[in-house]
Amino acid sequence: MGTQPNGASIEMTGTAVWEIGADGLLRHNWVERNAFEVHVAITREDARANIF
């Protein structure tokens, strides 16, 4: 995320939706994660104080 290590703990959540064809092969997948919220949390001045 373009930040330097600071020792702050993070928690990342997300979801994945898969479409599987009748042949058992993966057709499509969509993944969503809370990357913006994590970025905001770790770039705060008091990032080491984050409690997840």
Side-chain angles (χ1 to χ4, degrees):
M1 293 186 167
T3 62
Q4 295 296 315
N6 65 3
S9 297
I10 66 164
E11 182 175 304
M12 185 170 279
T13 59
T15 188
V17 178
W18 295 357
E19 179 186 345
I20 308 297
D23 57 4
L25 297 177
L26 179 65
R27 297 288 179 229
H28 299 280
N29 74 310
W30 299 266
V31 178
E32 180 62 40
R33 58 193 166 96
N34 69 331
F36 177 75
E37 292 83 355
V38 170
H39 185 266
V40 169
I42 64 175
T43 57
R44 286 181 20 190
E45 189 172 320
D46 63 339
R48 290 189 60 103
N50 289 330
I51 299 173
F52 288 96

